[in-house]
Amino acid sequence: MEQLPSESDAVAKVSSIFIYPIKSCRGISVSQASVTPTGFRWDRQWLVVNYKGRAYTQRVEPKLSLVQVELPDEAFIEGWEPSKSSYLVLKAPGMDALKVSLIAPREVSNGISVWEWSGSALDEGADASKWFSDYLGKPSRLVRFNTASETRPVEPEYARGHKIMFSDMYPYMLLSQGSMDALNNVLKEPIPVNRFRPNIFVEGCEPFSEDLWTEIRIDKLTFLGVKLCSRCKVPTINQETGIAGAEPNETLRKIRSDSVLRPTQKQRGKVYFGQNLVFKGSLTGKKGNVLKVGDLVYVLKKVSSTDEAAA
């Protein structure tokens, strides 16, 4: 069996783990999470769509940032399966709590689309539809990714063969405390990490170290860093109020644009913050694939500059 590096070789440790069960709604901070090829278990498994089946996100419905999502504590234990009394619970300003059974529904909705992907999804029914329709003030439905019939590949030029559910492009996004600190040092008003919606938040490394990581091991789990995370308008939305401003994107354009980070590469007019990951495998096989707060991070492979990093 392959040997783990010694603790002294670690470059960082996991300080927080975040799961976002419903795309664009609030995340849950957890002490551990089961790792799957498509992301943490429960992450971006649900999606709010309009009457045409097109995804609602914070880009067009910033009020989604105020929807709190709760799962049973035991849902994050490896191997746990829901019972008839297991629920996803949703809360939002001015709304009664909504309970959505974690047992998969049978009704299927066709014509669901998010970004480049379209297919069918499991429909969570009339109560969930009414709740989101009332909250957003427009016809809405809540759907769940149908793993039995659908697959959604990531961009093949960056990670061929890997798949996701309803996340934007990749199953995992990693960000470091060092990068957050460096950004907050140049912002007039510091912002919390929830603006960037990472899955894995690490501490102990230098700012923007994660830009260079192309293969890392966290405890016994190996991930590939496949593409710098380009940023849309969501980081400008205050996750406590749902109100957008100019920052941090205005500052990111000055210090984290492709013209700054990748001057010899094709310019796309994007800004980058964080590293997209895919799951490569585990030293323990299929069982025991659990990431925990406090796990140590080891860099197995990296590039020498952001100019060489995939983006």
Side-chain angles (χ1 to χ4, degrees), residues 90-103:
L90 310 184
K91 298 175 182 177
M95 302 292 294
D96 292 334
L98 173 71
K99 294 169 74 173
V100 178
S101 175
L102 288 179
I103 301 291

Side-chain angles (χ1 to χ4, degrees), residues 48-110:
V48 184
V49 298
N50 66 14
Y51 71 99
K52 291 183 177 180
R54 187 70 189 167
Y56 279 136
T57 71
Q58 285 189 33
R59 298 172 189 84
V60 293
E61 292 296 341
K63 282 177 68 175
L64 288 172
S65 66
L66 307 182
V67 177
Q68 297 180 47
V69 184
E70 299 172 4
L71 281 166
D73 290 342
E74 58 270 24
F76 303 103
I77 298 171
E78 187 185 21
W80 180 82
E81 292 298 332
S83 68
K84 290 182 179 179
S85 59
S86 305
Y87 295 96
L88 182 75
V89 180
L90 310 184
K91 298 175 182 177
M95 302 292 294
D96 292 334
L98 173 71
K99 294 169 74 173
V100 178
S101 175
L102 288 179
I103 301 291
R106 293 181 179 178
E107 185 181 344
V108 172
S109 285
N110 295 309

Side-chain angles (χ1 to χ4, degrees), residues 169-185:
M169 292 292 172
Y170 292 91
Y172 298 93
M173 200 278 283
L174 179 145
L175 186 62
S176 73
Q177 181 71 61
S179 300
M180 279 301 303
D181 291 345
L183 175 61
N184 278 329
N185 284 340

Side-chain angles (χ1 to χ4, degrees), residues 114-133:
V114 54
W115 290 105
E116 78 306 327
W117 177 88
S118 63
S120 66
L122 303 174
D123 196 300
E124 294 291 0
D127 289 347
S129 175
K130 184 178 188 311
W131 194 90
F132 274 105
S133 298

